[in-house]
């Protein structure tokens, strides 16, 4: 039988009979009152009542409640609680919520073990190193579950994993963050219920943990051109051609489909030559991470292609691609490069172009007349369906852009960005040409405090990343250090914010 863990609202009900800070002792796993009566037990960082329900935690001389707040100390066999001055009602009754097999502690510790196993199976085959890394899984209440002890000793071991509270001055996101005295992979909960999607996410972020050390450092990128209709059409044609190459079993058919995809890609890059470095940087940064995640999470080509088919269906119908398209491109290009037999991963650096690498791996010569080739081949890759979708989207987006320009040029508040942290939904980024990018589900931290969007609220960040613009400045309700509308909330560190 698996151990059951109990989540309770307040710690140390086992001590309620004392009522004061009178002497309590601990010895050989037992907690005793001043008369020697057993109040509970302690073991492996846990404090239990006599029914073996978890009531709190202990570590490094301190006693903690469920929220990991210090509630007392222990030393040399004696326990001293400061609850006499606490607002906690130590004699209230408790209804324990049981978390067993599939929930909290077991779920996270099992996920950590699964990911570690995948990393050990790979053990450097992909990138020359074992990718396992320190991980923090963080829920919306900022509770943390970790696979490793932190350098500051702030996380407590609960028998399966390490637990603690995530600081409010850090954003919750799937990312790489310095906290608790070191660098971590952070996973925003809840994570995917599907085990392959979950393992893909973990391995994606662990690749980011090591990416710079692998020599893959890229420039800052901003692919706003991908919001344009013709760029989207060419990108989707590229995907369709490369996907056809992925599922082809005949080498010549695969090579011809790759040729078509490269033509679509080259035409797009030629039309938007200014953004060529941004495109390649995005594919190296996020594309390779998603390829790595998927590659490590599946065991066969057939499973890889099954998930690729699902990804294709999803991305072909996405309204916004600016901040997410490389996730699909990387998975497709990585698969085709693997099938070439070329040792391409050892050649990657921060300036690599995966398309050029693909062209070289299959020894492909591009046609002299790219436009003619485009006209001759586009019909093989759902061109009419793509055009129909993009025409409809473009008409809607034209109206939406006018509304957004009005929103972010009147009744606005501006905040400077000096030391920004940001989390946002990458599937809802909307560029406004000449102004900046609009972000939904955003949380921004800077010297002035914390800015959070509410519900469908959005903010705009200038193209130079020096200013965040907030709408509805004429609807602000101020209370203390908080300014708020029904679309955003600004919690200020002080009242002197220079705009």
């Amino acid at each position: 039988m698996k151990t059951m863990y109990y989540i309770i609202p307040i710690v140390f009900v086992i001590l309620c009979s004392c009522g004061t800070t009178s002497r309590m002792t601990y010895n050989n796993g037992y907690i005793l009152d001043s008369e020697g009566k057993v109040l509970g037990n302690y073991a492996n960082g846990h404090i239990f009542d006599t029914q073996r329900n978890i009531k709190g935690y202990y570590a490094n001389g301190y006693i903690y409640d469920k929220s990991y707040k210090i509630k007392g100390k222990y030393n040399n066999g004696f326990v001293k609680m400061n609850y006499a001055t606490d607002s906690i009602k130590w004699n209230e009754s408790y209804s324990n919520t049981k978390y067993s097999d599939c929930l909290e502690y077991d779920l996270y510790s099992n996920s950590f073990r699964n990911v570690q196993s995948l990393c050990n199976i790979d053990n450097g085959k992909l990138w020359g190193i074992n990718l396992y890394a320190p991980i923090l899984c963080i829920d919306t209440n900022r509770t943390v579950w970790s696979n490793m002890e932190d350098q500051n000793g702030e996380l407590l071991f609960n028998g399966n994993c390490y637990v603690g509270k995530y600081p409010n001055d850090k954003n919750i996101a799937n990312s790489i963050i310095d906290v608790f005295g070191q660098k971590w992979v952070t996973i925003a909960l809840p994570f995917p219920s599907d085990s392959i999607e979950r393992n893909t996410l973990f391995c994606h972020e662990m690749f980011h943990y090591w990416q710079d050390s692998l020599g893959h450092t890229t420039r800052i990128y901003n692919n706003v051109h991908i919001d344009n209709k013709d760029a989207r059409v060419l990108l989707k044609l590229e995907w369709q051609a490369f996907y056809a190459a992925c599922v082809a079993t005949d080498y010549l058919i695969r090579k011809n489909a790759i040729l078509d995809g490269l033509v679509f890609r080259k035409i797009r890059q030629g039309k938007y030559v200014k953004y060529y470095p941004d495109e390649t940087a995005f594919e190296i940064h996020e594309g390779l991470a998603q390829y790595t995640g998927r590659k490590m999470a599946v065991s066969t080509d057939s499973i890889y292609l099954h998930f690729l088919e699902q990804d294709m269906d999803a991305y072909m119908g996405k309204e916004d691609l600016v901040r997410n398209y490389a996730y699909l491109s990387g998975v497709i290009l990585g698969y085709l490069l693997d099938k070439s037999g070329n040792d391409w991963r050892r050649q990657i650096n921060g300036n690599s172009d995966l398309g050029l690498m693909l062209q070289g791996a299959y020894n492909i010569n591009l046609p002299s007349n790219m436009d003619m080739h485009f006209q001759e081949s586009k019909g093989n890759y759902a061109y009419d369906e793509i055009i129909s979708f993009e025409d409809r989207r473009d008409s809607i987006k034209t109206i939406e852009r006018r509304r957004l320009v009005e929103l972010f040029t009147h009744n606005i508040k501006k905040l400077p960005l000096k030391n920004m942290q940001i989390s946002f939904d990458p599937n809802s980024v909307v560029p406004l040409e000449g102004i900046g990018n609009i972000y939904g589900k955003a949380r921004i931290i800077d010297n002035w405090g914390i800015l959070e969007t509410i519900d469908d609220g959005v903010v705009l960040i200038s193209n130079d990343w020096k200013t965040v613009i907030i709408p509805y400045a004429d609807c602000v309700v101020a209370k203390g250090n908080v300014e708020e509308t029904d679309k955003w909330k600004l919690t200020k560190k002080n009242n002197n914010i220079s705009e």
Side-chain angles (χ1 to χ4, degrees), residues 10-28:
I10 301 174
V11 92
F12 266 35
V13 68
I14 58 174
L15 304 178
C16 67
S17 61
C18 298
T20 68
T21 56
S22 60
R23 188 179 69 174
M24 289 172 288
T25 59
Y26 64 94
N27 187 35
N28 294 327

Side-chain angles (χ1 to χ4, degrees), residues 280-299:
T280 56
F282 191 21
E283 288 177 343
I284 294 298
H285 184 232
E286 292 293 355
L288 287 184
Q290 188 66 5
Y291 155 79
T292 300
R294 187 68 84 213
K295 181 84 171 177
M296 292 182 65
V298 303
S299 56

Side-chain angles (χ1 to χ4, degrees), residues 418-437:
K418 302 285 181 64
N419 297 292
M420 179 185 66
Q421 299 177 47
I422 182 173
S423 61
F424 59 90
D425 178 7
N427 294 306
S428 61
V429 178
V430 178
L432 288 185
E433 189 172 357
I435 302 176
N437 289 327

